[in-house]
Amino acid sequence: MSASLDAVMGIGKNELYHIATKAQGPSGSLPLTPDMLLHAPSGDLFGLSQNVGMGWSPERLNGKQVLILSTQGGIRSEDGTPVALGYHTGHWEVGLLMKAAAEEIRSMGGVPFAGFVSDPCDGRSQGTTGMFDSLPYRNDAAIVFRRLIRSLPTRKAVLGVATCDKGVPAMMLALAAMHDLPCVLVPGGVTLPPEDGEDAGKIQTIGARYAASEITLEEAASLGCRACATPGGGCQFLGTAATSQVVAEALGISVPHSALAPSGQPVWDEVARQSARAAIAMEARGIRMRDILTDAAIRNAMAVHAAFGGSTNLLLHIPAVAHAAKLAVPTVQDWIKINRDVPRLVSVLPNGPVYHPTIRVFLAGGVPEVMLHLRRLGVLDGSVLTVTGEKLDTVLDWWETSERRQLVRQRLLEADGVDPDDVIMNPEKARQRGLTSTVTFPTGNIAPEGSVIKSTSIDPSVVGEDGIYRHQGAAKVFTSEKAAIAAIKQGKIDKGDIMVLIGRGPSGTGMEETYQLTSALKHLPFGKYVTLITDARFSGVSTGACIGHVGPEALAGGPIGKLRDGDVIDVLIDRNRLEGHLHFVGCDGTTFTPEEGAAILAGRSLHPAAAPDPQLPDDTRLWAALQAVSGGTWGGSTYDVDKIIEVLEAGKQALAAKQSNG
């Protein structure tokens, strides 16, 4: 035997080959009846054999079956230490939630099942080709979750456990499509901030800060080691992960005060048991997802998103949930109206004005506390049903006088010395503190279909006294994120520049998230004087004058793809009216009107370097084509099967006609 083969196969031991060839099998008998044998599908009967084969007692087979799905990743030993790492802390501990839920179901006489579809980490894939699979993963995972649900035809209810940027939206899409099943989403919670260190958003800027000589190598290494202070849960800021948890609860598909709970702690563990009880009660009362997810529930979620100042990525996910639930899909105008009507009330990372971590938002009362304020303003529909089986008004009445509310808010004051009313404010205090609505939707000859900016994140010092951000400057156009980040780190970006990153939408990169650019700009001394415009998207923790989701995307013929270095761009963001524009207004020393600029762009060809990334996977190319046919990013990047089939049929007919004429 060769040395290398010996190293792989090891030294043989005789006991390895004492191999059993048969076994007695489980004791007892299946609880079958004549009716079952005569009328039940063979799959139902074989399923019982499978259940006892896995060790379930035959005497306990008649309970109602509840499926628990999650995004669990990695392999943990009994004491929690890693045997094999997961992709991120967000799915590292959710197996504990599944276990708690399963034990609760079993104690109530039910039969729990479990399945897993792990999820990626947007932080881990920043600046890498891994980002090309990030947003497409959401649709794929939702499909697999739905297939797993349908593949257990005897399940009576479903629990979905998820934590992070794409896992929670994927789970929401899957559960929303289960119109005739009772379902509950269990949020995976948050990790704690370090006692002395930086949060998981800021720590992603150590490369940019080191390049700018803001920190030393030793500081970067030390801070990076402590950023995730506890081993489970989503990041400590109100990015896409935290916002998605908030939205799930606001939709009524999670139990009250479950979003943003601290992972691994008793209050977090209890959420799983509460969710299990809710699912079983829903099944007993005949409450289904179609009873929970309504147009009014979608509007409530949009209102809570606005009040929290949530991630712009939810502009992709909430419409997708509505589509999955067969409800009206929110339009840009719907988003504008909601954000005009609903004030921002939450002071949290990364929006401020005080950068409280998400655990403090949970202790200040979380989603139900914000909803109390919104109900008083008259911008919530309290008649919607929740997974508790009660209407939202009843839930909020309970919360307002509950011991839970009193104790968690008192804990925030005792533990951190923070007044909960300084984290979740009433509208008057929020106005006094200068909190403004979160997002603005600029249009113009560069973005005729629209774009989005988290306008709260623009540095206040560059916003006029009238609440308007104005910037006119020369474009520096990039066709890859790698080139753009290199320009920042190499000092090739100057105060007053307008960075334009094109060809990075769905057709180019799967609509990559470009947080490393926005975070790097934030830590440049003059970064607040630089505007970034792109057809890609941003992380929920992004800050600065960063405008994304520009539509149409460059590779779909959008005018953004026709910009050149030196083109003069006029940017205006009205943070009060939530309006704005992105106009091409000059080149080669000549200025012109936006209308004239639109005509010039229409006559230009696509930027010669703009093209799909050469490493774009075929899987993502297919996703991009399907979502484009289905309405694109402003429709939530969903799959509209009827539209896709219509286009395919039209294509087949066109090809047949071409062949017959040829």
Side-chain angles (χ1 to χ4, degrees), residues 74-305:
I75 303 173
R76 292 163 44 94
S77 60
E78 286 298 315
D79 63 359
T81 55
V83 176
L85 293 171
Y87 285 59
H88 53 88
T89 63
H91 63 212
W92 180 245
E93 290 187 330
V94 295
L96 300 177
L97 288 175
M98 298 183 80
K99 182 180 179 183
E103 289 172 344
E104 187 71 15
I105 292 164
R106 182 169 180 166
S107 73
M108 299 176 73
V111 181
F113 286 75
F116 311 88
V117 181
S118 193
D119 57 344
C121 174
D122 280 3
R124 186 181 291 274
S125 58
Q126 289 292 336
T128 76
T129 56
M131 187 54 73
F132 298 171
D133 290 287
S134 171
L135 184 55
Y137 160 89
R138 183 203 68 179
N139 289 20
D140 293 346
I143 290 171
V144 176
F145 280 133
R146 290 194 293 265
R147 290 193 186 281
L148 288 173
I149 292 169
R150 293 190 295 264
S151 296
L152 186 66
T154 50
R155 76 282 178 268
K156 299 297 183 183
V158 181
L159 293 179
V161 187
T163 307
C164 283
D165 291 30
K166 300 304 174 297
V168 179
M171 192 69 76
M172 286 197 287
L173 264 61
L175 300 186
M178 297 296 111
H179 313 295
D180 296 315
L181 273 176
C183 304
V184 181
L185 191 143
V186 186
V190 299
T191 189
L192 297 185
E195 293 180 357
D196 178 24
E198 297 178 351
D199 68 89
K202 186 174 183 179
I203 209 63
Q204 293 179 50
T205 70
I206 53 177
R209 285 184 286 154
Y210 178 74
S213 300
E214 291 186 11
I215 58 173
T216 66
L217 173 63
E218 292 74 18
E219 288 171 332
S222 176
L223 291 169
C225 189
R226 299 195 302 276
C228 300
T230 50
C235 296
Q236 306 104 330
F237 49 82
L238 191 74
T240 308
T243 307
S244 297
Q245 294 184 34
V246 163
V247 163
E249 188 178 333
L251 285 167
I253 62 175
S254 296
V255 299
H257 198 227
S258 56
L260 314 182
S263 182
Q265 299 193 43
V267 71
W268 169 84
D269 213 41
E270 182 63 19
V271 169
R273 289 184 282 271
Q274 294 164 343
S275 301
R277 294 193 292 268
I280 290 173
M282 288 173 69
E283 196 279 332
R285 295 175 60 178
I287 299 172
R288 305 294 183 255
M289 285 303 280
R290 69 172 66 255
D291 303 314
I292 308 293
L293 287 175
T294 61
D295 290 331
I298 295 291
R299 289 192 297 271
N300 282 350
M302 293 169 69
V304 172
H305 174 271

